[in-house]
Amino acid sequence: MRTDYDAIVVGARCAGSPVAMLLARRGYRVLVVDRATFPSDTVSTHLIHAPGVAALRSWGLLDEVVATGCPPIERYSLDFGPFTIAGRSQPVDGVTTAYAPRRTVLDKILVDAAVRAGAEVREGFTVEKVVVEDGAVVGIRGHGEGGGSVTERAKVVIGADGRNSHVAKAVRPEQYHGKPMLQWSYYTYWSGLPVDGMEVVIRPDRGWGAFPTNDGLTLLVLGWPYAEAAAYKADTEANYLKTLELAPAFAERVRAATRVERFTGGSVANFFRKPFGPGWALVGDAGYNKDPITAQGISDAFHDAERCASALDQVFAGGRPFAEAMAEYQRDRDVHALPIYEFTTQMARLEPPPPEMQQLLGAVHGNADAMDAFVSVLAGSLSPVDFFAPEHIGRIMAGAVAA
Ligand SMILES: Cc1cc2nc3c(=O)[nH]c(=O)nc-3n(C[C@H](O)[C@H](O)[C@H](O)COP(=O)(O)OP(=O)(O)OC[C@H]3O[C@@H](n4cnc5c(N)ncnc54)[C@H](O)[C@@H]3O)c2cc1C
């Protein structure tokens, strides 16, 4: 009986199950382990913008998400107080729609897709140790629920085990572009709170977003600067509700709704990690983590899965050197991620926009194309590099002057 795998994936959620599925679909022997058993919830507001939805569609999984009754989100609106910017995401492979499926729903669909593709999935399996021989990772040691420890070996161990990655702790990769925690948010679910797509409200030092999810519920997440986290935590419910009064009409709608779950919240640090080394790779939050304010994490995890699976395919089937293929994976990830990372970490400070930005936003407001473009930055379908390019800004400002 063969006991060795081409790849062992630690973590079976947004990064792990897709990378396992994509490798298994190419015919590789893949083992995926997760200490969770699915369906399983996790701390996440689970909005998936058009780029992530396009990935789900290309994998043949979007219909399953839609079939759960999760409503489509076509419109994003950002209420800055004096004005609201509203628009639609630019298409990504023809997709302009976002969805916010519960993680109990999404992650189960992903795990099942990995199984259907031929990956071996062990739920309720905790990795205790990354096995290293002669300076290279060669496997994992771990145990199932109530079972004894076993060792499994593979050509590569992929850490898809989240921002506190056990695999990353074992291999201690270079970490770069680090920033501290920037905002503290709490979210919960409401019934009787209809929303028009995704509604975002931005006020000085405060911000919130609401969007529809499964079971007719609306998720409402509300952030304070990290420096005020202790004060926010001191009376979560009162602070959450009081903050909504900064937009009285919105607060009125929430007063008419019913909270159906407890508050969940927290904060995360911001960093990139080198995502490969001898015998190991990192995907998803394990390799690149950022504040959730722009909701990029799930789409990023999907893209990591695609890039990593394609790099490993080049190594396994094409004989391309591992370090070369994986360096390209890292480069592509970072080139794509860095501009939106800077935008995200700036936004997560919840500081009022500087005067030039206020002027620009004033010019964007009311210009349908510019509003779609701004919304697309948030959706991850237009790079901030393109939006903030001098020619693009020039066109927006000229439009404002002409108007
Ligand atoms: C408050 C908050 C809100 C967010 N909102 C959004 C949003 O709206 N949209 C969005 O796109 N992203 C959002 N994110 C980010 C998003 O949740 C993550 O980017 C995404 O979950 C990353 O997926 P992952 O597979 O890399 O890791 P995870 O989802 O963290 O999964 C890691 C898995 O690894 C398993 N694991 C860990 N250690 C071990 C071990 N030793 N042995 C076995 N298994 C192990 C865990 O059980 C877990 O199932 C949010 C994050 C937070 C914190």
Side-chain angles (χ1 to χ4, degrees), residues 10-17 33-36 38 40 42-49 103 107 125-128 160-166 185 187 211 221 264-268 283-286 288-292 294-301:
V10 184
R13 293 188 189 268
C14 303
S17 281
V33 299
D34 199 303
R35 63 185 170 210
F38 296 89
S40 158
T42 189
V43 178
S44 175
T45 55
H46 51 79
L47 174 68
I48 315 176
H49 295 296
R103 292 293 293 265
D107 295 3
F125 184 99
T126 301
V127 172
E128 305 146 9
D161 47 349
R163 60 185 185 278
N164 299 315
S165 168
H166 188 85
S185 58
Y187 65 90
F211 38 87
V221 56
T264 302
S267 186
V268 302
V283 289
D285 283 4
Y288 160 47
N289 194 57
K290 59 271 153 190
D291 191 281
T294 54
Q296 302 296 310
I298 296 171
S299 300
D300 285 344

Side-chain angles (χ1 to χ4, degrees), residues 188-193 217-218 253-261:
T188 185
Y189 297 86
W190 297 83
S191 73
L193 180 60
L217 299 179
T218 292
R253 287 160 62 197
V254 176
R255 271 196 293 278
T258 308
R259 177 162 70 85
V260 296
E261 292 194 25

Side-chain angles (χ1 to χ4, degrees), residues 10-236:
V10 184
R13 293 188 189 268
C14 303
S17 281
V19 76
M21 174 191 74
L22 294 170
L23 285 169
R25 282 181 180 178
R26 287 169 160 111
Y28 297 111
R29 291 198 77 217
V30 185
L31 170 65
V32 195
V33 299
D34 199 303
R35 63 185 170 210
T37 56
F38 296 89
S40 158
D41 207 354
T42 189
V43 178
S44 175
T45 55
H46 51 79
L47 174 68
I48 315 176
H49 295 296
V53 173
L56 285 170
R57 195 179 68 168
S58 77
W59 301 337
L61 303 179
L62 180 58
D63 289 349
E64 284 184 56
V65 172
V66 173
T68 68
C70 185
I73 299 168
E74 307 284 359
R75 178 179 189 268
Y76 292 8
S77 68
L78 292 89
D79 168 354
F80 288 89
F83 54 82
T84 295
I85 289 176
R88 293 172 67 105
S89 169
Q90 293 185 358
V92 179
D93 299 334
V95 174
T96 57
T97 309
Y99 289 88
R102 292 294 293 255
R103 292 293 293 265
T104 42
V105 166
L106 174 71
D107 295 3
K108 176 74 176 141
I109 288 172
L110 298 174
V111 171
D112 288 350
V115 172
R116 278 201 307 274
E120 179 184 338
V121 179
R122 287 188 211 164
E123 301 182 24
F125 184 99
T126 301
V127 172
E128 305 146 9
K129 189 173 183 298
V130 173
V131 182
V132 179
E133 287 174 5
D134 300 326
V137 171
V138 295
I140 54 160
R141 188 158 180 76
H143 62 273
E145 279 164 7
S149 287
V150 293
T151 298
E152 300 290 359
R153 301 170 71 89
K155 291 179 192 157
V156 62
V157 171
I158 303 174
D161 47 349
R163 60 185 185 278
N164 299 315
S165 168
H166 188 85
V167 175
K169 276 186 193 124
V171 298
R172 297 175 41 191
E174 176 200 347
Q175 196 158 305
Y176 50 100
H177 299 320
K179 295 179 204 268
M181 294 181 182
L182 296 167
Q183 58 123 8
W184 187 280
S185 58
Y186 278 113
Y187 65 90
T188 185
Y189 297 86
W190 297 83
S191 73
L193 180 60
V195 277
D196 183 5
M198 177 170 75
E199 298 184 23
V200 173
V201 177
I202 297 160
R203 295 290 182 269
D205 297 327
R206 303 288 184 262
W208 66 87
F211 38 87
T213 181
N214 295 94
D215 306 319
L217 299 179
T218 292
L219 185 149
L220 175 54
V221 56
L222 197 152
W224 284 26
Y226 186 74
E228 296 184 65
Y232 191 179
K233 276 187 264 185
D235 191 347
T236 304

